[in-house]
């Protein structure tokens, strides 16, 4: 509904005053760490402005995913959590302490708060009497029904306007529209709607002065709030309000008067405690000490609990909603002389792609230098970057987050024009907020550096331990190699035995190389090792045939060219690939069957020369679902197996720029194909 008239801003929730004693009582309640949400709800329910803020923040984009749409105030507070409630109370007090003096008398504020409390109590009593809806929901609707009055009063001065008169609700609305172009019912509904509050609350605010004829088909809850307002409002004659009670719900005048009287008696002690009697000033002033406590205790403590930088930025974004009512908060984080986009709430996926210089004349760079900067996008000054950051909003506000003079990030807000005016009026608060957040960001980065150093130290200790293990393992390897040399001398006349011993010596050398690589982290790609891969492979397959295949009755064959060009895959890595593939095939076949190994030169893939290695068997094959995860680590049930053989094959081949694949189906065996690129001269 349109309410844009006479400069009334229906979204200005943060400008609405709260009774200072309510805020102080709420802050005092947090001294007890075990405070119950019921106690907090009871305190908040004394103030329409504070209640509206709680509901609005719970329904904002930052909290909406975990907030119920329309429940009791206590449930809403449970959803927000103690930290957020404390922050809302602290920052509400902070805003009021820093805000300019409003042209409102104490009597005006006292009258508004008293009527809201009586209407809420009466709506709850009527709900109990008539068994309509949930009484606590009706209390909220009654408490917030007249919030438009406070919006108009804080922005346009005293309320009601002159000439409204008493006992004439219709004249009141007509007078407001004549002077302002809008009435307080429409303004209140627009405010609650702008903050995505539940529809029943919006409807109660919009129609609580509707004529009787318009209420014929209205929901019972809406009619009940309408009646509660009429029974307590000076703009309704008592006779008309009592007639309304009869027409809407069949209540006798005596019952309606008794319920109203009991509601007033219930509220009067509360009004006296809050300083509303006789138009007295409502409570003690909010001092600068309260402002400092608000930031130090409320924000700094909450930000310090963030687990990492992403969580910290998300917490700051939610604090922006609580503090300033801006629902779009993103960040440009300073990294290596650049500003890079971060959107912790993921409301704008494209924001993370923003990358701009950390110096220059654009708004974020000027803000990073230390001063808040803002602009209206309708002006001639903003450039392309500013429009990109605003993402369709009317304005842009950039706040530096700094610690000890060092830039950490820029908070980017995309407000409306009216919101920008309010931000500029609260620049002192914004600067303090930026300093608190900057300190939290600096602490987070310092902790990250400490964690990185600790991880590096742990890695160095682990490397030293591995070196010790490799050194100790070298002793038995050396002894085994010496004995192989002695055996070779004793079997000098047996060529076949010497060939097998040569393979064993090479495998022991490969074990030593693997241990060294474990420490040094060398890659498996070719490192200039000499020797024909074909010759090394022919010696290996003989051992595989004797050790793996013949004991199982498996027929084994190998087709290999006389020579192969140098490969990018190192000789030891090639042997490891062949061993793993043949061993997997042999174990899958069990007793009997056939395994074929073939190497072929001259294969071209994508215009590049490759050597193709094929390992094929006629075993049981693999199911389709097993093929999908074939090269991922598996939980092996075989004794002495880690279940990572094929994973090692893939890693070795891909590290050398090659490709490995498998074709199989149940009952048709498996065929592994490995394409290995040649080493360039």
């Amino acid at each position: 509904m349109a309410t844009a008239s006479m400069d009334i801003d229906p979204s200005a929730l943060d400008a609405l005053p709260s009774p200072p004693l309510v805020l102080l009582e709420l802050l005092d309640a947090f001294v007890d760490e075990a405070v119950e949400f019921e106690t907090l709800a009871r305190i908040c329910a004394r103030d329409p402005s504070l209640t509206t803020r709680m509901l609005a923040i719970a329904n904002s984009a930052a909290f909406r995913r975990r907030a119920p749409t329309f429940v009791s105030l206590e449930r809403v507070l449970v959803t927000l959590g103690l930290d957020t409630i404390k922050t809302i109370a602290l920052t509400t007090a902070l805003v009021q302490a820093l805000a300019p003096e409003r042209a409102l008398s104490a009597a005006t504020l006292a009258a508004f708060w008293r009527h809201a409390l009586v209407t809420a109590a009466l709506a709850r009593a009527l709900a109990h009497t008539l068994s309509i809806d949930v009484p606590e929901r009706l209390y909220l609707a009654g408490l917030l029904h007249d919030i438009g009055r406070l919006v108009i009063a804080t922005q346009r001065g005293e309320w009601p306007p002159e000439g409204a008169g008493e006992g004439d609700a219709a004249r009141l609305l007509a007078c407001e529209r004549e002077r302002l172009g809008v009435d307080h019912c429409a303004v209140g509904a627009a405010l609650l709607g702008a903050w995505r509050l539940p529809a029943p609350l919006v409807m109660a605010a919009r129609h609580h002065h509707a004529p009787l004829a318009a209420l014929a088909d209205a929901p019972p809850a809406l009619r009940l709030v309408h009646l509660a307002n009429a029974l307590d409002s000076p703009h309704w004659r008592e006779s008309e309000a009592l007639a309304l009670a009869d027409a809407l719900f069949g209540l006798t005048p005596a019952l309606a008067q008794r319920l109203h009287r009991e509601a007033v008696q219930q509220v009067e002690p509360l009004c006296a405690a809050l300083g509303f009697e006789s138009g007295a000033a409502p409570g003690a002033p909010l001092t600068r000490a309260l402002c400092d406590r608000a930031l130090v205790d409320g924000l700094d403590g909450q930000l310090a609990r963030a687990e990492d930088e992403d969580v910290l930025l998300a917490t700051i974004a939610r604090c922006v909603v609580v503090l300033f009512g801006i629902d779009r908060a993103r960040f440009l984080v300073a990294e290596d002389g650049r500003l890079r986009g971060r959107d912790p709430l993921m409301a704008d996926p494209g924001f993370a792609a923003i990358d701009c210089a950390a110096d220059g004349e654009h708004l974020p760079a000027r803000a990073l230098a230390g001063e808040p900067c803002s602009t209206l996008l309708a002006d001639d000054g903003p450039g392309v970057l500013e429009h990109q950051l605003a993402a369709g909003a009317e304005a842009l506000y950039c706040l530096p987050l700094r610690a000890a003079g060092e830039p950490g990030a820029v908070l980017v807000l995309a407000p409306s024009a009216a919101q920008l005016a309010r931000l500029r009026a609260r620049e002192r608060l914004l600067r303090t907020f930026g300093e608190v957040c900057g300190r939290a960001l600096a602490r987070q980065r310092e902790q990250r550096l400490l964690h990185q150093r600790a991880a590096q130290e742990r890695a160095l200790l682990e490397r030293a331990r591995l070196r010790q293990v490799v050194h100790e393992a070298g002793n038995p390897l050396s002894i085994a190699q010496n004995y192989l040399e002695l055996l070779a001398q004793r079997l000098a006349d047996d060529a076949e035995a010497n060939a097998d011993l040569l393979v064993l010596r090479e495998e022991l050398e490969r074990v030593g190389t693997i241990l060294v690589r474990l420490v040094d982290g060398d890659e498996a790609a070719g490192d200039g090792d000499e020797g024909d891969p074909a010759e090394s492979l022919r010696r290996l397959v003989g051992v595989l045939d004797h050790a793996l295949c013949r004991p199982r009755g498996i027929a084994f064959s190998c087709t290999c060219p006389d020579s192969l060009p140098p490969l990018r895959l190192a000789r030891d890595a090639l042997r490891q690939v062949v061993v793993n593939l043949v061993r997997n095939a042999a174990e899958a076949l069990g007793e009997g069957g056939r395994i074929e190994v073939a190497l072929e030169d001259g294969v071209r893939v994508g215009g590049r020369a490759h050597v193709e290695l094929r390992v094929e068997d006629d075993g049981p094959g693999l199911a389709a679902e097993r093929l999908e995860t074939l090269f991922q680590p598996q939980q092996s049930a075989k004794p002495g197996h880690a279940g990572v053989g094929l994973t090692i094959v893939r890693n070795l081949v891909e590290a050398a720029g090659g490709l490995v694949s498998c074709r199989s189906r149940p009952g048709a065996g498996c065929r592994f194909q490995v394409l290995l690129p040649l080493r360039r001269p």
Side-chain angles (χ1 to χ4, degrees):
M1 60 194 70
T3 61
S5 180
M6 297 294 291
D7 298 325
I8 298 294
D9 178 8
S11 68
L13 176 57
D14 56 342
L16 303 183
S18 293
L21 288 181
V22 170
L23 297 174
L24 292 173
E25 184 179 357
L26 188 59
L27 295 177
D28 289 340
F30 284 104
V31 175
D32 180 7
E33 295 182 356
V35 63
E36 297 181 353
F37 286 100
E38 180 182 2
T39 301
L40 300 177
R42 175 181 53 79
I43 298 172
C44 293
R46 298 174 179 175
D47 174 28
S49 300
L50 191 57
T51 298
T52 305
R53 282 176 64 79
M54 297 291 182
L55 292 172
I57 290 168
N59 283 278
S60 69
F63 294 90
R64 195 182 312 135
R65 292 180 182 175
R66 47 189 175 127
T69 55
F70 186 39
V71 292
S72 68
L73 180 56
E74 183 179 346
R75 286 290 306 279
V76 169
L77 298 185
V78 170
T79 297
L80 291 174
L82 290 176
D83 281 340
T84 301
I85 300 168
K86 184 178 181 181
T87 300
I88 293 171
L90 286 164
T91 53
T92 300
L94 181 63
V95 168
Q96 288 194 203
L98 295 182
E101 293 295 329
R102 297 179 177 86
L104 296 178
S105 68
T108 294
L109 291 173
F112 167 79
W113 281 318
R114 178 201 169 280
H115 174 62
L117 291 170
V118 171
T119 303
L122 183 54
R124 180 165 54 191
L126 287 168
H128 277 296
T129 301
L130 300 171
S131 299
I132 293 176
D133 208 308
V134 179
E136 291 307 315
R137 295 183 183 181
L138 271 297
Y139 182 93
L140 288 179
L143 188 69
L144 306 182
H145 79 287
D146 237 6
I147 198 72
R149 289 176 55 185
L150 202 55
V151 175
I152 293 175
T154 54
Q155 296 185 37
R156 301 292 295 167
E158 292 294 332
W159 190 100
E162 295 180 3
E166 294 188 359
D168 192 346
R171 176 58 187 156
L172 167 66
L173 299 186
C175 186
E176 287 179 337
R177 296 184 192 115
E178 180 181 344
R179 289 188 55 192
L180 306 174
V182 68
D183 59 63
H184 73 276
C185 299
V187 171
L191 181 141
L192 300 182
W195 285 94
R196 306 183 185 90
L197 266 61
L201 298 181
V202 179
M203 296 292 287
R206 182 68 185 87
H207 299 290
H208 68 276
H209 277 299
L212 179 60
L215 299 175
D217 298 321
L222 175 59
R223 288 184 280 137
L224 188 148
V225 174
H226 188 286
L227 174 60
N229 170 69
L231 288 171
D232 188 66
S233 173
H235 302 286
W236 280 77
R237 296 184 180 88
E238 184 180 20
S239 59
E240 293 178 347
L242 295 175
L244 187 67
D246 181 33
L248 291 178
F249 298 106
L251 294 176
T252 64
L255 178 57
Q257 288 174 324
R258 178 175 66 81
L259 291 174
H260 178 240
R261 184 170 59 253
E262 290 174 352
V264 172
Q265 291 171 351
Q266 177 185 346
V267 167
E268 279 180 347
L270 176 59
C271 291
L274 295 176
F276 296 167
E277 284 183 325
S278 303
L286 297 175
T287 63
R288 179 66 196 180
L290 178 60
C291 302
D292 295 339
R293 173 177 152 192
L295 285 174
V296 173
D297 294 346
L299 296 177
D300 209 22
Q302 184 174 353
L303 297 178
R305 290 190 290 274
E307 299 172 359
D308 53 42
E309 189 166 300
D310 287 336
V311 175
L312 174 63
L313 295 180
T315 303
I316 293 174
R318 293 190 177 100
C319 287
V320 169
V321 179
V322 174
L323 260 174
F324 308 109
I326 306 296
D327 204 15
R328 298 175 63 186
R330 283 108 12 118
F331 300 85
L332 291 173
V333 178
E335 297 176 353
D336 302 324
R338 307 288 295 176
L339 288 174
R340 295 184 171 88
R342 297 273 288 276
D343 182 14
L345 299 181
M346 295 181 290
D348 182 4
F351 194 84
I354 294 178
D355 186 334
C356 61
D359 53 9
E361 293 301 317
H362 55 73
L363 217 61
R366 287 160 49 200
L368 191 67
E371 294 295 325
C373 298
S374 60
T375 184
L376 286 168
L377 274 300
D379 297 341
D380 295 332
V384 174
L385 177 62
E386 283 79 1
H387 283 274
Q388 184 182 7
L389 295 174
E394 295 178 311
L396 185 68
Y397 193 101
C398 294
L399 178 70
L401 308 183
R402 301 169 61 88
E406 294 297 323
V410 175
L411 173 62
V412 179
L413 305 179
S416 66
Q419 289 171 328
L420 177 62
R422 295 201 299 273
L423 289 174
R424 286 172 170 172
R426 299 164 62 188
E427 199 115 285
R428 185 172 68 178
L429 171 61
L430 280 160
R431 289 174 184 270
T432 307
F433 177 76
E435 292 172 1
V436 171
C437 295
R439 287 197 302 268
L441 186 60
R443 283 197 306 267
Q444 187 63 245
R445 291 182 173 179
E446 183 177 355
Q447 291 174 1
R448 183 176 63 189
L449 288 175
L450 290 175
H451 291 159
Q452 289 175 348
R453 290 170 186 162
Q456 290 171 354
E457 290 176 359
R458 287 195 299 270
L460 290 174
L461 290 174
E462 182 66 16
R463 181 66 60 84
R465 188 185 68 83
L466 286 174
R467 288 186 183 278
Q468 182 179 357
V469 170
V470 170
H471 176 73
E472 293 175 356
N475 293 329
L477 282 177
S478 298
I479 293 173
Q481 287 173 329
N482 291 336
Y483 271 104
L484 286 177
E485 290 291 342
L486 290 174
L487 285 173
Q489 294 174 11
R490 293 175 183 177
L491 300 173
D493 297 333
D494 190 336
E496 184 176 355
N498 268 277
D500 291 342
L501 290 175
L502 177 60
V503 172
L504 291 176
R505 287 201 301 271
E506 289 177 347
E507 289 303 298
L508 284 177
E509 290 174 359
R510 189 159 67 86
V511 171
T513 302
I514 291 172
L515 289 174
V516 172
R517 186 180 296 126
L518 181 65
V519 175
D520 296 336
D522 294 337
E523 296 184 355
D527 53 3
D529 56 341
E530 299 296 335
D532 187 349
E535 180 182 351
S536 176
L537 195 59
R538 279 193 295 270
R539 292 198 301 268
L540 175 64
V541 296
V543 174
L544 293 176
D545 186 17
H546 284 82
L548 290 176
C549 297
R550 292 186 183 182
R552 293 179 169 87
I554 298 172
F556 182 82
S557 64
C558 176
T559 304
C560 181
D562 292 337
S563 65
L564 288 172
L567 303 175
R568 288 189 61 192
L569 186 70
R571 181 183 59 183
D572 287 346
L574 176 61
R575 294 165 69 95
Q576 182 73 58
V577 168
V578 174
V579 169
N580 285 8
L581 293 179
V582 172
R583 182 172 59 188
N584 270 19
E587 292 173 348
L589 288 173
E591 296 295 330
R594 173 183 55 83
I595 298 176
E596 295 180 359
V597 176
L599 275 89
E600 183 178 347
D601 190 10
V603 178
R604 301 196 71 83
V605 179
R608 294 180 58 190
H610 288 70
V611 167
E612 179 186 26
L613 166 67
R614 295 189 304 275
V615 178
E616 189 171 356
D617 66 68
D618 60 354
L622 297 170
E625 58 270 17
R626 177 68 180 92
L627 285 172
E628 294 178 359
T629 60
L630 186 61
F631 294 101
Q632 298 177 9
Q634 306 292 323
Q635 185 67 37
S636 177
K638 302 172 185 176
H641 286 258
V644 295
L646 293 179
T647 304
I648 292 174
V649 168
R650 181 199 61 189
N651 292 343
L652 291 173
V653 171
E654 291 183 353
L659 298 172
V660 59
S661 61
C662 176
R663 293 183 182 179
S664 179
R665 62 178 185 272
C670 288
R671 179 182 180 181
F672 285 87
Q673 181 188 41
V674 181
L675 294 173
L676 302 170
L678 304 185
R679 190 167 68 230
R680 295 178 180 177

